[in-house]
Amino acid sequence: MSELDRLRHAMRVTERGGAPLDLDAVMREGRRLRTRRRVAGAGAAVLTAGLAAVVVVAAVGPGGPSTVERPPPVAAVPTSPVPTAPTPPAGGTPTTLGTPRPTLPPEAERTASPLGQVIDSGIRHGVDQRVYYMVRVSVPGEPRVTIGLAAGRRAPDGTLTTDVLVNDVDGADRSPGFHQVGYDEGGSAAPVPAFGYFVGPAQRITGTVDGRQVTARLARWSDDKQVVIFWFDPADLTPGDRLDGIIARDGDGRRL
Amino acid sequence: MARGDAEFVEFARAASARLVHAAFLMTGDHHQAEDAAQTALVRTYASWSRVRDDDAYGYARRILVNHLVDGWRRPIREYPTEEIPEQRRDDVADEVATRRWLTAILGALSPRERAIVVLRYYFDLPEAQVARELAISVGTVKSTSSRALGKLRANGPRAADNQEACR
């Protein structure tokens, strides 16, 4: 028997049956944890409303209307200030988390084209690609917030359907560190994997959920290489599940 | 008891011994192992509606391993003296000897090496899955696993001698 075989054998034969775990206590603590998560989730939603805007822009069901736009990679400055300038759904009602959101003027709709390259996540929804792209936004009194990150779908003919847009509503959109993380809100025709962006030399981004770590996929934004766009594979993080924490590390493994 | 709770109890009864043992192999501490397995089951139960129809055991295992990995960052503790199980079986001497050998072998490994050895050779997970669960590269899994097996071969005879001396 080789050392490895012996190791395998030893690990198995020393297993003890009838572990003395108190399942009543396990379930009691599990219920408390579940309750705490619900409360924390509700609190986080309120907090999010104060810190950032997350806009579900395509609340469409199967066969419903969708936001479709041709994606020339050209940015245009909005002609009038609006709280955010995402692409609202054609014939649909934008949904805002936490706070009511003013209607966007027509000019804003026309200017919400992708800034820089559209990033293909490699995730597919039928024939559509899950893509992420920056769009120009404008927030009153916040001149340093000019971009937002959109999660959308790209059809085979190149048309884009925007599902969720996240952007800062104060501070600066290029400040170092993490910015708003977007989650599936249940209003899209396809599940939206969690996504966001980090400003800085991140080489690895890891989230924590239920005590396990999930590693994000990364892509640098073509217009500013300091902006690292990340998303989580749905196999690792179920769309709609909230992260408990998230960290970024540089190429040497140092936490940023 | 609700149907979901009954399913969880059945799952927990089937999985707990293996989870506790895996945690013990990773830590060498029975009390810490039981705490870690209990934590993994608590979190699994908290998410039971979501994971019950998926790979609940894999979910609990991932929580267990990550919980223990978080513990690596805490100060290094003394490796505890192995307890002799209270069993009356004919092969109890063999089992005690095997346990001592195993304790000596695993005690020579770093926490990361132990985690990889347990995931690879106790849970029989492929290298790619070990890498995913520990959030490290496949290359790191291979190199660490190779280093751990090198230590195993180097320490094997000495541990075996100690085992014989204990008899």
Side-chain angles (χ1 to χ4, degrees), chain A residues 11 14-15 34 204 210-211, chain B residues 21 50 59 66 99 122 135:
Chain A
M11 286 197 290
T14 52
E15 202 174 284
R34 206 181 287 159
R204 183 180 181 85
D210 294 340
Chain B
H21 189 56
R50 182 159 55 84
Y59 183 84
N66 280 293
R99 191 177 285 273
Y122 179 60

Side-chain angles (χ1 to χ4, degrees), chain A residues 3-123:
Chain A
E3 291 296 330
L4 180 55
D5 290 337
R6 192 175 179 196
L7 175 65
R8 285 182 198 268
H9 174 74
M11 286 197 290
R12 282 166 177 71
V13 298
T14 52
E15 202 174 284
R16 291 171 171 175
L21 294 184
D22 182 349
L23 291 187
D24 288 337
V26 165
M27 295 170 76
R28 194 165 53 245
E29 282 302 309
R31 285 190 196 98
R32 284 181 190 154
L33 178 59
R34 206 181 287 159
T35 304
R36 282 201 300 273
R37 283 180 184 163
R38 284 181 185 142
V39 171
V46 173
L47 183 63
T48 299
L51 293 177
V54 182
V55 185
V56 181
V57 293
V60 294
S66 64
T67 300
V68 176
E69 49 181 324
R70 300 285 168 184
V74 178
V77 179
T79 53
S80 62
V82 291
T84 58
T87 307
T93 304
T95 304
T96 306
L97 293 183
T99 52
R101 190 168 158 276
T103 305
L104 297 174
E107 310 93 283
E109 295 182 28
R110 288 198 298 272
T111 57
S113 302
L115 294 172
Q117 292 178 353
V118 175
I119 295 166
D120 179 4
S121 69
I123 299 165

Side-chain angles (χ1 to χ4, degrees), chain A:
Chain A
M1 186 185 287
S2 70
E3 291 296 330
L4 180 55
D5 290 337
R6 192 175 179 196
L7 175 65
R8 285 182 198 268
H9 174 74
M11 286 197 290
R12 282 166 177 71
V13 298
T14 52
E15 202 174 284
R16 291 171 171 175
L21 294 184
D22 182 349
L23 291 187
D24 288 337
V26 165
M27 295 170 76
R28 194 165 53 245
E29 282 302 309
R31 285 190 196 98
R32 284 181 190 154
L33 178 59
R34 206 181 287 159
T35 304
R36 282 201 300 273
R37 283 180 184 163
R38 284 181 185 142
V39 171
V46 173
L47 183 63
T48 299
L51 293 177
V54 182
V55 185
V56 181
V57 293
V60 294
S66 64
T67 300
V68 176
E69 49 181 324
R70 300 285 168 184
V74 178
V77 179
T79 53
S80 62
V82 291
T84 58
T87 307
T93 304
T95 304
T96 306
L97 293 183
T99 52
R101 190 168 158 276
T103 305
L104 297 174
E107 310 93 283
E109 295 182 28
R110 288 198 298 272
T111 57
S113 302
L115 294 172
Q117 292 178 353
V118 175
I119 295 166
D120 179 4
S121 69
I123 299 165
R124 297 289 179 268
H125 306 288
V127 296
D128 290 350
Q129 301 170 331
R130 168 60 61 196
V131 294
Y132 297 100
Y133 44 93
M134 289 292 185
V135 296
R136 185 169 296 282
V137 300
S138 177
V139 180
E142 300 292 342
R144 294 192 298 166
V145 177
T146 60
I147 58 171
L149 178 60
R153 280 165 287 137
R154 183 162 55 189
D157 65 359
T159 56
L160 286 176
T161 302
T162 307
D163 288 322
V164 176
L165 173 81
V166 293
N167 64 268
D168 296 337
V169 292
D170 60 11
D173 55 27
R174 307 295 172 91
S175 61
F178 284 101
H179 292 255
Q180 186 61 29
V181 177
Y183 294 101
D184 183 274
E185 300 295 339
S188 308
V192 180
F195 68 104
Y197 73 93
F198 179 91
V199 177
Q203 293 291 330
R204 183 180 181 85
I205 289 177
T206 309
T208 306
V209 59
D210 294 340
R212 68 186 171 95
Q213 289 188 321
V214 286
T215 302
R217 297 186 186 183
L218 312 181
R220 294 195 178 276
W221 185 33
S222 60
D223 281 16
D224 182 347
K225 297 298 184 186
Q226 281 296 302
V227 176
V228 180
I229 294 169
F230 63 87
W231 64 93
F232 292 91
D233 191 298
D236 298 329
L237 180 65
T238 305
D241 281 4
R242 259 53 177 175
L243 292 166
D244 300 322
I246 189 167
I247 60 171
R249 295 188 186 279
D250 66 12
D252 295 324
R254 284 189 298 262
R255 186 169 175 172
L256 298 172

Side-chain angles (χ1 to χ4, degrees), chain A residues 14-23 25-26 29, chain B residues 12 15-43 60 63-65 67-68 74 77 80 82-87 99:
Chain A
T14 52
E15 202 174 284
R16 291 171 171 175
L21 294 184
D22 182 349
L23 291 187
V26 165
E29 282 302 309
Chain B
S16 59
R18 202 161 160 77
L19 292 172
V20 170
H21 189 56
F24 169 72
L25 293 173
M26 288 177 65
T27 63
D29 184 328
H30 279 303
H31 297 297
Q32 193 184 359
E34 287 172 9
D35 286 347
Q38 181 135 341
T39 297
L41 288 175
V42 164
R43 293 182 185 174
I63 291 178
L64 177 81
V65 171
H67 177 71
L68 291 172
R74 297 174 201 138
R77 63 189 170 278
E82 173 60 2
E83 298 169 14
I84 298 176
E86 295 177 5
Q87 296 177 17
R99 191 177 285 273

